[in-house]
Amino acid sequence: MRYINHRYFIHFCHPTSTFFSIIPFPSSTHNSNPNFPEMGSRRSFLRSWSSPLFLFVVVVALAASSADGSRAPRVPCYFIFGDSLYDSGNNNNLNTSAKVNYSPYGIDLPAGPTGRFSNGQTTADAIGEILGFKDFIPPFASNPDDRQILVGVNYASGSAGILVESGKQGGDNVDLSQQLRNHELTVSRIVEILGSKVAAFEYLGQCLYICDSGNNDYINNYILPQSTAIRNQYNPDQFAALLITQYSAQIIRLYELGARKVALAGISNIGCTPSLIATLGTNGAPCVNSVNQLVVPFNTRLKSLISQLKLSYPDAKFAYLDSVRVGTLVGAGIRLIRI
């Protein structure tokens, strides 16, 4: 397996970005670039500490049973759902502050700014490359043609969450339920292309589906200063239950649309995001530990949900991507685990 150049995962600060901690670029890399203006705290250059850099390990294992040693992709198609960690341009034409189709974003991509919340590839792009896809999976908003949708579609939207209202304080986004409705349109087109629902679902059952959602339901919803009403209505465990109930229905809908290989990412240490560190303080700790603990019930319930899905749908594979634990693999030996 090839290792991924870490520069692919350098992200720039954005008001709706998640999973980031403040680490200025070394002067020997990007700070000397004349295209980079001086920026304040909300526009500081950042590098991701987050574990999604290593999530491809589990995802490739999920698809490993399809590998035959050839140069063909491990799976015939790849569908992507989630937020700014995976968004590749779906927010470009929306009325929102959560769009990044301008410099310096995309400076390491041949095409320049594309709408990725990064200087180059996203984690989802890198997973596609590891799986053997020669081209990026196109965003749904780009109106991919018939040939492209048979390879996959990216539905992820910056600032979006499991709940419709999450992230909407910054403008429009494509929440996860709408992403699934968009995928439903794609499935209908694939049925037409392949000639029958049976042929389409047999094909879709071989595809890989990955989703990273829930981050903005906390960062851009539950823990916002103005969200006192929802905090008064739901304690942390009740809010996690609310999210998982909605998420369960959404993942079951994905299954009903033909998905049989599904990887779901848990929430990482969002207490390490710069805005929360600056706003709440850390009492000398590297991160806001109370916020990191806030999402533990969600991850616990998500693991239980995945166990339930495996029992309820034995013809499918569901994988939990542990965004907290897998981060400890940085610098350590990494091995593939077949699931």
Side-chain angles (χ1 to χ4, degrees):
M1 175 179 291
R2 292 171 295 165
Y3 288 94
I4 305 297
N5 186 325
H6 74 276
R7 289 184 66 207
Y8 288 161
F9 296 91
I10 296 173
H11 288 64
F12 302 128
C13 185
H14 192 276
T16 59
S17 295
T18 60
F19 285 107
F20 304 125
S21 295
I22 298 177
I23 308 178
F25 286 133
S27 59
S28 60
T29 56
H30 295 309
N31 275 355
S32 59
N33 191 315
N35 292 325
F36 289 88
E38 291 294 321
M39 296 184 178
S41 60
R42 286 171 59 88
R43 297 292 300 277
S44 301
F45 293 112
L46 309 179
R47 184 174 67 183
S48 171
W49 288 29
S50 64
S51 57
L53 172 59
F54 296 93
L55 295 185
F56 72 86
V57 173
V58 179
V59 174
V60 172
L62 182 66
S65 60
S66 302
D68 60 4
S70 69
R71 293 195 176 189
R74 292 174 181 263
V75 290
C77 39
Y78 175 35
F79 295 99
I80 302 163
F81 302 82
D83 51 33
S84 61
L85 288 175
Y86 294 171
D87 190 352
S88 60
N90 285 307
N91 281 16
N92 289 353
N93 296 319
L94 298 183
N95 180 20
T96 177
S97 61
K99 64 174 67 177
V100 289
N101 54 335
Y102 53 86
S103 182
Y105 299 95
I107 60 167
D108 288 332
L109 290 173
T114 58
R116 289 169 169 80
F117 289 68
S118 174
N119 63 300
Q121 292 185 4
T122 66
T123 310
D125 294 329
I127 290 170
E129 183 178 356
I130 292 292
L131 290 172
F133 291 99
K134 295 181 180 179
D135 300 317
F136 292 142
I137 300 301
F140 179 80
S142 68
N143 297 315
D145 59 30
D146 289 353
R147 178 190 61 82
Q148 290 175 310
I149 68 169
L150 287 175
V151 177
V153 179
N154 185 330
Y155 305 95
S157 172
S159 81
I162 294 169
L163 302 179
V164 172
E165 62 268 26
S166 295
K168 291 296 197 299
Q169 80 281 359
D172 296 333
N173 62 38
V174 187
D175 60 84
L176 186 56
S177 291
Q178 183 59 53
Q179 291 178 35
L180 288 167
R181 287 191 287 271
N182 292 343
H183 182 58
E184 189 170 354
L185 296 175
T186 297
V187 171
S188 296
R189 288 179 59 188
I190 291 176
V191 170
E192 292 181 3
I193 294 168
L194 298 183
S196 72
K197 184 175 180 179
V198 171
F201 274 52
E202 181 177 352
Y203 183 77
L204 291 167
Q206 303 174 59
C207 304
L208 178 65
Y209 300 75
I210 185 169
C211 184
D212 179 82
S213 199
N215 311 299
N216 288 304
D217 295 291
Y218 286 92
I219 294 176
N220 284 306
N221 189 344
Y222 190 74
I223 59 179
L224 286 175
Q226 62 266 38
S227 296
T228 53
I230 194 167
R231 289 194 296 274
N232 289 336
Q233 185 176 0
Y234 301 101
N235 65 35
D237 191 64
Q238 291 170 334
F239 186 67
L242 172 70
L243 292 179
I244 292 299
T245 298
Q246 176 73 3
Y247 205 16
S248 175
Q250 292 163 333
I251 300 308
I252 291 172
R253 181 56 183 152
L254 188 60
Y255 173 88
E256 292 171 347
L257 292 170
R260 295 297 182 270
K261 296 181 179 181
V262 182
L264 304 175
I267 298 177
S268 188
N269 288 325
I270 61 174
C272 299
T273 57
S275 60
L276 294 180
I277 290 174
T279 302
L280 302 178
T282 65
N283 293 321
C287 303
V288 186
N289 293 327
S290 60
V291 173
N292 288 340
Q293 289 301 310
L294 187 67
V295 303
V296 169
F298 176 90
N299 288 337
T300 300
R301 288 176 178 272
L302 179 57
K303 285 183 277 189
S304 296
L305 171 62
I306 290 174
S307 296
Q308 294 168 10
L309 291 170
K310 288 179 177 179
L311 292 174
S312 300
Y313 305 100
D315 61 328
K317 294 182 178 181
F318 296 92
Y320 174 70
L321 307 183
D322 193 330
S323 299
V324 176
R325 183 182 178 192
V326 78
T328 65
L329 296 175
V330 178
I334 300 174
R335 62 188 178 93
L336 292 181
I337 302 173
R338 189 180 298 275
I339 58 176

